[in-house]
Amino acid sequence: MTETPLTWLYVPGDRPAVVAKALVCGADVVVVDLEDAVAPDRKEYARAATAELLSQPQQVPVQVRVNALDGPLVAADLHAVAALPGVSGLRLPKVTSPEQITGIAARTHAPGTGTPPLHALLETALGIEHAHAIARAHPALRGISLGESDLRADLGVPGDTGLDWSRSRVVVAARAAGLPPPAQSVYPDIRDLDGLAATCAHGRALGFLGRAAIHPRQLPVIERAYLPTAEEIEQAEAVVKAAAREQGAQALPDGRFVDTAVVATAQRTLLLALRR
């Protein structure tokens, strides 16, 4: 995928018709869930339906979230989906150690094609404590992110503010390991679009980039929140133009100070603005 993804849409693996609709709804990445979204008595059907649907390449990237890494179902999940042409990556739930990443990488490595891209979900206090070690565990790991519902339960945090330290920890761990900025966890109220927008703004301020969704109506809200505004684009253009005229640190006519770090930030803003 050439563009930076901003939206990841989760869909339950035991509803193949819903998955098919999700593939054309505008999400940057579709995540087929074999874990929490599927009832225990539907696990085998979800796995088989997902394997059938993703046996061919898809028009958008599709990741599959497998079942618990220490549970009895993950081996069958990996065997069924890891090497499918329609699967662009595996999402690993409740990761707590780097050894889990290296273990999955070894189990899914295929001669000639290598290891599929892996994405770790940190959903417990232990996972947060090991965030940087997990983030740099294996070259096949392409990203880390939070699973806030389980983390909130593990920490006993009833509100939103209590998760901010964990959010920042994951952002820093990802960047320190050379991974892309994490995407925000899902917003569970699909009708509260104002709340979604407000929490996206907060996530953006913390250093996240993009967000997972559980309903297509959330996608445009997330994208708008994470795309630079017209004012931000204008300011970034002024910085880049000034840097092109004169090397080294300088002050713009409006008083803003420009140095290498400011220029790099402006360039990232303009690259993201190409999506508008």
Side-chain angles (χ1 to χ4, degrees):
M1 171 167 206
T2 56
E3 292 183 335
T4 300
L6 293 181
T7 54
W8 289 256
L9 179 61
Y10 275 89
V11 285
D14 63 339
R15 300 178 65 186
V18 175
V19 176
K21 291 180 180 178
L23 294 172
V24 295
C25 74
D28 293 330
V29 181
V30 172
V31 182
V32 181
D33 192 7
L34 302 181
E35 193 212 13
D36 285 348
V38 179
D41 62 350
R42 300 272 291 176
K43 296 286 189 180
E44 289 189 14
Y45 172 72
R47 184 188 305 121
T50 299
E52 180 179 0
L53 183 66
L54 301 181
S55 62
Q56 300 296 325
Q58 301 298 315
Q59 56 193 325
V60 297
V62 180
Q63 298 173 5
V64 177
R65 180 164 74 170
V66 297
N67 281 286
L69 304 187
D70 58 356
L73 302 176
V74 66
D77 291 346
L78 296 175
H79 178 74
V81 306
L84 292 178
V87 175
S88 65
L90 301 174
R91 292 183 84 80
L92 310 178
K94 300 176 180 65
V95 176
T96 58
S97 73
E99 290 77 18
Q100 288 178 309
I101 301 298
T102 55
I104 294 295
R107 292 168 69 177
T108 56
H109 183 84
T113 58
T115 306
L118 305 176
H119 303 264
L121 295 170
L122 310 185
E123 307 179 68
T124 63
L126 186 58
I128 299 301
E129 279 298 297
H130 294 163
H132 183 244
I134 291 168
R136 60 193 300 269
H138 194 277
L141 189 73
R142 305 297 172 81
I144 61 174
S145 57
L146 284 176
E148 291 189 355
S149 178
D150 284 281
L151 180 61
R152 184 178 278 108
D154 191 34
L155 296 177
V157 176
D160 203 53
T161 305
L163 295 179
D164 275 358
W165 183 86
S166 298
R167 291 165 175 159
S168 293
R169 176 73 177 268
V170 169
V171 170
V172 172
R175 302 305 293 139
L179 296 176
Q184 276 187 276
S185 184
V186 300
Y187 189 76
D189 189 339
I190 64 173
R191 294 182 177 85
D192 182 15
L193 299 183
D194 290 339
L196 172 62
T199 55
C200 284
H202 181 60
R204 186 182 179 195
L206 290 175
F208 288 94
L209 183 62
R211 189 166 199 168
I214 53 175
H215 194 282
R217 67 165 59 102
Q218 296 178 317
L219 301 178
V221 177
I222 295 169
E223 186 162 283
R224 282 195 301 272
Y226 274 98
L227 285 175
T229 64
E231 181 180 2
E232 289 170 334
I233 294 171
E234 182 179 355
Q235 292 175 348
E237 288 174 340
V239 167
V240 171
K241 288 177 181 177
R245 289 193 302 267
E246 181 179 343
Q247 294 185 343
Q250 58 183 295
L252 297 181
D254 62 6
R256 284 181 295 153
F257 183 77
V258 176
D259 62 8
T260 302
V262 174
V263 173
T265 299
Q267 290 170 334
R268 285 196 298 269
T269 296
L270 295 181
L271 184 62
L272 196 57
L274 294 176
R275 291 178 54 113
R276 292 185 66 91

